[in-house]
Amino acid sequence: MSEFRIHHDVNELLSLLHVRGGDGAEVYIDLLQKNRTPYVTTTVSAHSAKVKIVEYSKTPEDFLRKYDELKSKNVRNLDPLVYLLSKLSEDKETLQCLQQNAKERSEATGNVTSSTSTTFAIPPTSTKMSMQELEELRKKLGNVTASSNVPQSAEVTRKMLRDRHNKKNPTQPNPVFPNWVYDRPALIGDFITGATPAGGDPAVAVGTMPLPAQEQALVDDLLFVLIGVDGRDITAQPVLGRQNRSFIIDPSLDMSIKELVNRILPVASYYSTITRFTEEKSSFEYGQVNHALTAAMRTLMKEYLILVTQLEHLHRQGMLSLQKLWFYIQPTMRTMEILASIASSVDKGDCMGGSTLSLLHDRTFNYTGDSQAQELCLYLTKAASVPYFEILEKWIYRGIIKDPYSEFMVEEHELQKEKIQEDYNDKYWDQRYTIVQHRIPSFLQKMADKILSTGKYLNVVRECGRDVTCPDAKEILYTLKERAYVEQIEKSYYYASKVLLDFLMEEKELVARLRSIKHYFLMDKGDFFVHFMDLTEEELKKPVDDIVPPRLEALLELALRMSTANTDPFKDDLKIDLMPHDVITQLLRVLAIETKQEKAIINADPTEVALSGLEAFSFDYIVKWPLSLIINRKALTRYQMLFRHIFYCKHVERLLCNVWISNKTAKQYALHRAKWFAAAFALRQRMLNFVQNIQYYMMFEVMEPTWHIMENNLKSASNIDDVLCHHTSFLDNCLKDCMLTNPELLKIFSKLMSVCVMFTNCMQRFTQSMKLDREMNRLTLEHGTMEGPPTQSERTVEQEKKRLTSKFLAEHMDALQSDSCFEATISKFDSNFSTLLLDLLDKLSVYSTNDCEHSMINIIYRLDFNGFYTERLERMAIERSQKAAAYNMYLFLLLLPI
């Protein structure tokens, strides 16, 4: 997160909380910047933060209970949240504000509740309910309570997980255990509710027996209870959902024996919890990680059952007392407690895959100092991580995901790579493979992005038909020393980056492709464009609906073959594209996305004026996989915007040059008396100077330097993401510096181009009416007649006719232009062009200083090279500052007390 984002979020939060005064936002910003590393919320800081909150809290028991509940569910980012709350609790002003907000909310909630509460009709006390009605009411209340407290049954959960998997992988259904596995409770190994106790019905109460007999009876019962079978005097209570097992002991039992029994019974409760967990989570629907975890737990439970069997053998020999049983069972109690705690946490948090490994890793790390407990958790974590690391190895070594139970941190989405060339919003590279946060094991959190990128790189090469495998592939094993597998992941990442980069740069010739695109879209080949525009000029003047695309394709092919572009090996990938909007409309629609004007622009009625071929014309380019990852539709659309912008400028330049040629012909005639003639020549030259300098700026001061920067960056790029970043940065900088991302500048520039086009049309209409050469050609007899060459007398008569006709047509044109008010028209063109140009220069001056767009100031230097506009720009800047000062004074006066 950047410093500006932190500053914005802190100010927004303080504004929402209505916090005023104090040290301001800067203190909190500094605190956040210092504590935004993952090392701040360690166990020590989280514990101290928890203690601090307990000291400030009015109900510390509720806070600790809720914290333990969330911790048992392995809730992510719980410790950072507690750390934040502890910091907030130290700020008295913030606390006061929060208390006030809480009070207001509670009052508002109370008002709403009181206004919308339902009035229940209480029957009068004299009304009596029958026993049948009372029983029905009791059953209904019991059902409602049970339905609100009972969690989702295991069968429903399994079906939901199975359906979700089958929907994602319809061709690979999950294997399913037969129903009798779940329908026969005796196979589970846990207590069977309602079964006959192992010792049978007690003939006499155990409390009436002598003390030694009571002890032997209780030892016998405990040996049954420790393996999930009810005894005669100790019976298990039914459990509801994820509750811990509790037991009922005969109340007549001697207190000393009962106390010792109560010490041993937690082991039976742990056994019940572990057994239920292993039976449920060993199903295929819960994934391979949970299956491996339950297998490891069952291995440990075998040792426990062996111990109980040995104790039973001692009991049969009469060598086991209650004290001995307690002595022998104590070492196992800690192991069973840890296993039951892990089972409960995984069950409560509905953990699967990466989240299960995160919980196990956190437990292993938290037991630092307790070597026995840490060794136990390390064993479980190693066993559970084996299937997860197998998926990881296939992903980072070969670029293949084989995750049948949706446990891995990387998720694959069904996207077609062919759509990259068709859909502007297609995000194949970003969305084909994505990170799922809750599946990331906490010990791989820092490496998640590299893991994602490694597999993506290898997968791209694999989809091109090449089988790749990392040469440094080694088995990854879980360890508390993270550096071991971090080094292995980094090795595979660097290999995958190099393989894909070399594949694109050398085999697929990415840089050569980009140069080819530059030749055409950024007008790098000047002779090709002159030839192409000469060939297609008449065709592109037509309305877009009248243009025949195959004819344009043929002319494009001709221009490519007859210019230096013929040496380009990729020239056949260049195509013609006729767009539905002109470039200004397209740019404004793009710039209006996620703004207030978006709806108005999109829903606006289409213009009634039909687009000409010049306005709709653009190039397109065929790019195949995997180069389409870099040169996708979004990148090509940006290239098209730049091309259409420059192409239209080039078209306006050609129009102005044609006017210049026409004016050169008209100079020999007697039109010098018209005042507008000199003004028209001067205006045409100013327009031509403007258009040519704008083109020079865009092509040689923006695109060419930015292109060289990108080329140098591509040489030092270490992976495909760097290439994507440099290419996107190149296009974004070109669009920004060419004024295509600023709607205000774009509108002014569009109006300037429109004025230039209208001026050229006006001048062309004038020159077309002056067909003096054609008239002279009809009167000339230079080529003679059928009777032979003209005589001297005929030549003299012909010259006189030409002189008189020229004089007549010139006078006629003078009168025509005078009558049509051409002088006023040219003056209006001059005024509009000067106003818009000054407005553009003024806006460029503002943006270059206020928004640090220093490259734009080069346009001002080029257009105002002799200081012609300097005085006017200074005057406009002074007026702007005066208006701002007047407005500020007006606001100041409004705020003064009356």
Side-chain angles (χ1 to χ4, degrees), residues 98 100-110:
L98 291 174
Q100 181 65 28
N101 288 343
K103 182 179 179 181
E104 293 174 358
R105 283 198 304 271
S106 62
E107 290 176 355
T109 306

Side-chain angles (χ1 to χ4, degrees), residues 2 41 54 66 100 166 224 241 257 303 328 403 422 470 486-487 489 506 555-556 587 630 729 738 805 814 860 873:
S2 66
T41 53
V54 168
K66 191 66 177 178
Q100 181 65 28
N166 293 338
F224 280 113
I257 296 177
E303 298 178 2
Y328 287 128
D403 182 23
E422 302 171 7
C470 180
V486 166
E487 288 179 355
I489 292 170
E506 297 174 8
L555 294 174
L556 172 63
L587 286 164
I630 309 296
S729 177
C738 290
T805 303
D814 280 340
I860 302 176
L873 289 173

